[in-house]
Amino acid sequence: MQPIKRNFLSALLLTGAIAASAFAQTGTFTSMSMASYGPLVSPDSIVAGFGMNLGTGNTAGSLPLQTNLAGASVSITDSAGAKFAAPLYLVSPGQINYLIPAGAAVGKGTVTVTTASGMLQGTLLISNIAPAIATASADGKGVPAAQVYRLNAAGVATVQPVFMGSTGAFTPAPINLSAASDQVYLMLYGTGIRRHSLNPVIATLGGIRVPVTFAGAQTQFPGLDQVNIGPLPQSLVGKGAVNLILTVDGIPANTVNLNIQ
């Protein structure tokens, strides 16, 4: 399965969360997974950090990522006392998306943000893995920001999103499994997954275990991971609304929702 278009992924990484204001607190910088908005992060994962007066506007980074963007920088001190400058994806008034450097040690760390308005600090809980699935609503809930890869009997492949709607009103797009000759896969995007062990990554869809054919780094964007699931079995036909649960080294990612016809 080929990498997807850059503009689809850019929308995940370079846009502030809808609920950013809910996390911002005066004098502090609160960091959480960019995908699930859970407190656990990992080396080589993408983090959304929230505070106040972080920038004067929305400034998106470009590849290769820089450690200073719109006058803002993020410094991480890990549990071993080592310091790292974090590459930045996005700087906005209430949010900074940044990358945990690969060399950061696991354990409790601190993060320091320096902007034109001053300095903010917060804490990080760094684990070896912190599996998280990005969602269309950018809040870690609902339908995933994922795609359906379909290969029909003639060998023609198509790729479509699994969600429909607009900002604040995303719903699962029906995934049609009625053609038994089609091979249908899901391509999920998230972070905190790539450092998993040799143990299998487990995916269940509507309570049915589905093969995971790939779980690792997505090569276009630093820190972004991809999980390919399928082919989806015919036993899922007509299930309707189902939960997708991804478990990596015993740690479940945020549950997301799909619609199977």
Side-chain angles (χ1 to χ4, degrees), residues 33-36 40-46 99 127-134 187-203 212 214-218 222-229 244-254 256:
S33 168
M34 177 278 301
S36 67
L40 202 63
V41 300
S42 69
D44 245 341
S45 73
I46 307 169
L99 182 70
S127 174
N128 186 56
I129 60 165
I133 300 171
M187 296 187 293
L188 304 169
Y189 304 94
T191 195
I193 297 167
R194 67 182 63 192
R195 294 164 66 99
H196 66 84
S197 71
L198 295 178
N199 292 322
V201 174
I202 297 172
V212 176
F214 175 80
Q218 198 282 341
L224 188 68
D225 293 331
Q226 179 169 338
V227 180
N228 296 339
I229 297 173
L244 171 63
I245 300 175
L246 185 76
T247 305
V248 184
D249 287 347
I251 301 176
N254 49 311
V256 293

Side-chain angles (χ1 to χ4, degrees), residues 28-246:
T28 63
F29 188 70
T30 303
S31 295
M32 53 192 67
S33 168
M34 177 278 301
S36 67
Y37 291 88
L40 202 63
V41 300
S42 69
D44 245 341
S45 73
I46 307 169
V47 175
F50 302 96
M52 293 184 175
N53 301 317
L54 300 175
T56 57
N58 292 335
T59 303
S62 58
L63 299 177
L65 297 177
Q66 304 297 309
T67 57
N68 190 295
L69 183 63
S73 61
V74 175
S75 174
I76 294 170
T77 303
D78 67 14
S79 60
K83 294 184 178 182
F84 302 87
L88 306 180
Y89 265 111
L90 169 78
V91 173
S92 67
Q95 179 175 346
I96 295 178
N97 289 354
Y98 64 96
L99 182 70
I100 302 289
V106 300
K108 188 175 182 179
T110 60
V111 54
T112 302
V113 180
T114 303
T115 71
S117 299
M119 185 179 294
L120 295 174
Q121 285 193 319
T123 59
L124 287 171
L125 186 58
I126 303 176
S127 174
N128 186 56
I129 60 165
I133 300 171
T135 61
S137 55
D139 61 1
K141 301 176 183 178
V143 60
Q147 293 175 305
V148 176
Y149 178 95
R150 183 183 302 271
L151 185 67
N152 67 17
V156 177
T158 58
V159 178
Q160 295 179 315
V162 303
F163 57 89
M164 56 186 179
S166 58
T167 301
F170 291 107
T171 58
I175 300 172
N176 193 327
L177 297 183
S178 60
S181 58
D182 288 358
Q183 295 183 57
V184 182
Y185 296 81
L186 295 176
M187 296 187 293
L188 304 169
Y189 304 94
T191 195
I193 297 167
R194 67 182 63 192
R195 294 164 66 99
H196 66 84
S197 71
L198 295 178
N199 292 322
V201 174
I202 297 172
T204 61
L205 191 55
I208 297 172
R209 186 162 173 174
V210 181
V212 176
T213 59
F214 175 80
Q218 198 282 341
T219 58
Q220 291 173 285
F221 291 89
L224 188 68
D225 293 331
Q226 179 169 338
V227 180
N228 296 339
I229 297 173
L232 303 187
Q234 285 291 292
S235 56
L236 286 169
V237 172
K239 282 281 189 178
V242 295
N243 289 337
L244 171 63
I245 300 175
L246 185 76

